[in-house]
Amino acid sequence: MQCSRFLVSGFCGVAGLMGVLLPVLAADQTVRPGSFYMSKNLQALQADDIANPGMLWVSDGESLWKQPVGRTQKSCASCHDAADVTMKGVAARYPAVDAESGELFNLEKRINTCRTRHQGAEALAYETDELLALTAYVAHQSRGERVKVHIDGPAAPFYEAGRKRFYTRVGQLNLSCAQCHEANAGRRLRGDTISDGVGSGWPAYRLEWQTLGSLHRRLRACSLGVRARQFDFGSPEYLSLELYLAKRAEGVRVEAPAVRR
Amino acid sequence: MARAPVRISMPDEAKKGEIVDIKAILRHPMETGYRVDNVGKKIPRNIVTDMTVTYGGVEVMRWKLQPGVAANPFIGFSTVAIETGELVFTWTDDTGQVFRESRMLTVT
């Protein structure tokens, strides 16, 4: 295992010891949702719809869903009616290729394209409360549904790009996603447990941020952590990685809005 | 943006003498006053300092909040159903902003 100064010497020592004492997790072991690695208290916080702070954004999203916007003065509900029916299961199928543009869309990009294409409104910036609220509201409708994305046909090149990114070493620490989230999932990294690298809980309320955040914000934090280049929110690099993560997490249930450390 | 900064969970009805569990969360940054922005300027403190709950005009719960309380303060508490009345939840923050929300409790 590659040790680095960033991971503090204590981690390397402890991890090295654990390698002797604990059976090494097989790489093909079932991928688990992020909540699996959280404390019982945090799992309870996520499961309680009042205590889970992410539900504040879901409430906001519910009112935004019905609010007319843009030139056309159409709301999301004008076309999509009740989100609990029409949006059920949608988050579990995303990211997906948009037939019209041939581009890979995640929920954020789909919402923004709806705004520019059909509502005559401006696209919302990533991490604004409005976009987070709408994304959380749409994703929440799929809570409990199992992730299942398409990776064939037009999605194949995106999937391949994402897979490559997952296994490519990057940054000053020279680590790939897989070295933590596949080879060492379930082990300790500093004060936290390494997850399987699953995006099914996002947008999630991250305690470190004290706010809801998108998956791309989380990926940027990962990139920063290994001292690699951070790509833009909604960049093709993160979008294809998001697709790979979703395929990897096939069968895991959507938890949005999750609570994460 | 139409905001719903408060979420409250409690039963609409309760039997007389029954213990009623109540949960409430307020959306608030709880800015501690100890942080600086990216040019080194101090971010002024803005925390919720007080939360009170009255039931039929009588105070049943008071919470003094400190800067150590995380953003979006959540609290769970209980009270005894005495008579049909309104529960009024009030939060006050450092800027003087008051958040108020009420729920009816029907006692049978």
Side-chain angles (χ1 to χ4, degrees):
Chain A
M1 196 186 83
Q2 169 118 3
C3 274
S4 67
R5 271 168 294 170
F6 178 71
L7 302 179
V8 301
S9 53
F11 164 69
C12 290
V14 171
L17 191 66
M18 280 168 65
V20 179
L21 298 176
L22 299 173
V24 176
L25 296 173
D28 61 351
Q29 197 176 356
T30 324
V31 170
R32 292 164 166 143
S35 58
F36 177 83
Y37 296 105
M38 299 194 308
S39 67
K40 288 222 154 43
N41 286 348
L42 277 186
Q43 287 173 351
L45 183 71
Q46 177 178 304
D48 184 329
D49 278 352
I50 296 296
N52 182 343
M55 292 302 290
L56 289 163
W57 278 262
V58 172
S59 295
D60 278 353
E62 191 176 357
S63 42
L64 285 173
W65 183 262
K66 297 169 198 144
Q67 192 177 299
V69 287
R71 247 184 307 105
T72 60
Q73 280 301 299
K74 275 193 211 165
S75 71
C76 306
S78 309
C79 297
H80 297 290
D81 294 321
D84 57 350
V85 181
T86 58
M87 292 297 124
K88 193 175 162 62
V90 170
R93 299 196 294 269
Y94 267 68
V97 174
D98 172 53
E100 205 172 313
S101 64
E103 289 175 48
L104 186 66
F105 277 22
N106 60 356
L107 281 186
E108 285 91 344
K109 196 163 182 186
R110 170 59 68 199
I111 290 166
N112 270 334
T113 308
C114 251
R115 287 175 66 88
T116 52
R117 213 184 260 169
H118 303 298
Q119 291 178 298
E122 296 219 332
L124 298 164
Y126 259 85
E127 307 313 302
T128 54
D129 278 335
E130 286 84 355
L131 186 58
L132 285 172
L134 278 169
T135 313
Y137 180 59
V138 171
H140 180 64
Q141 310 308 322
S142 303
R143 191 155 74 167
E145 302 276 323
R146 290 182 188 276
V147 174
K148 183 147 180 40
V149 288
H150 288 290
I151 58 158
D152 46 358
F158 297 108
Y159 173 76
E160 191 48 33
R163 196 188 64 80
K164 268 206 186 114
R165 193 160 295 284
F166 188 82
Y167 288 102
T168 305
R169 286 169 176 262
V170 287
Q172 283 183 314
L173 300 192
N174 201 27
L175 289 168
S176 72
C177 310
Q179 283 172 298
C180 285
H181 295 288
E182 198 167 271
N184 286 293
R187 285 177 161 178
R188 307 288 291 180
L189 174 60
R190 306 171 89 185
D192 211 343
T193 310
I194 303 174
S195 75
D196 285 303
V198 170
S200 59
W202 296 80
Y205 189 89
R206 196 163 178 226
L207 300 180
E208 182 184 324
W209 298 334
Q210 300 270 292
T211 185
L212 198 77
S214 67
L215 179 65
H216 288 202
R217 185 176 175 187
R218 184 67 190 86
L219 294 177
R220 281 172 62 86
C222 257
S223 296
L224 185 73
V226 297
R227 299 184 194 162
R229 177 181 162 196
Q230 288 178 293
F231 297 103
D232 284 337
F233 291 100
S235 63
E237 288 85 358
Y238 284 152
L239 279 171
S240 56
L241 182 58
E242 188 176 346
L243 179 64
Y244 180 70
L245 294 183
K247 179 60 187 175
R248 220 175 139 260
E250 190 161 82
V252 171
R253 290 181 197 278
V254 174
E255 300 182 297
V259 174
R260 294 289 182 265
R261 288 184 61 189
Chain B
M1 171 181 170
R3 279 172 193 278
V6 175
R7 285 171 61 83
I8 293 170
S9 144
M10 59 171 263
D12 298 328
E13 279 183 30
K15 287 199 176 69
K16 197 175 165 70
E18 195 183 329
I19 293 170
V20 182
D21 284 321
I22 300 163
K23 292 187 275 193
I25 186 168
L26 167 74
R27 180 150 158 188
H28 197 279
M30 294 293 284
E31 189 58 59
T32 59
Y34 298 124
R35 300 197 308 161
V36 291
D37 63 14
N38 52 12
V39 291
K41 222 177 97 207
K42 211 166 183 185
I43 304 171
R45 191 183 105 150
N46 178 22
I47 66 163
V48 175
T49 50
D50 288 282
M51 181 201 174
T52 57
V53 180
T54 60
Y55 172 23
V58 180
E59 188 175 289
V60 290
M61 207 282 293
R62 174 187 287 274
W63 183 18
K64 291 284 290 178
L65 288 86
Q66 303 294 337
V69 177
N72 309 310
F74 165 82
I75 193 161
F77 63 98
S78 59
T79 189
V80 179
I82 297 167
E83 55 184 28
T84 298
E86 196 177 31
L87 279 94
V88 182
F89 302 72
T90 312
W91 292 261
T92 313
D93 75 7
D94 278 328
T95 65
Q97 199 175 352
V98 176
F99 306 90
R100 189 167 282 133
E101 185 83 11
S102 56
R103 292 277 189 283
M104 275 304 286
L105 179 66
T106 308
V107 176
T108 53

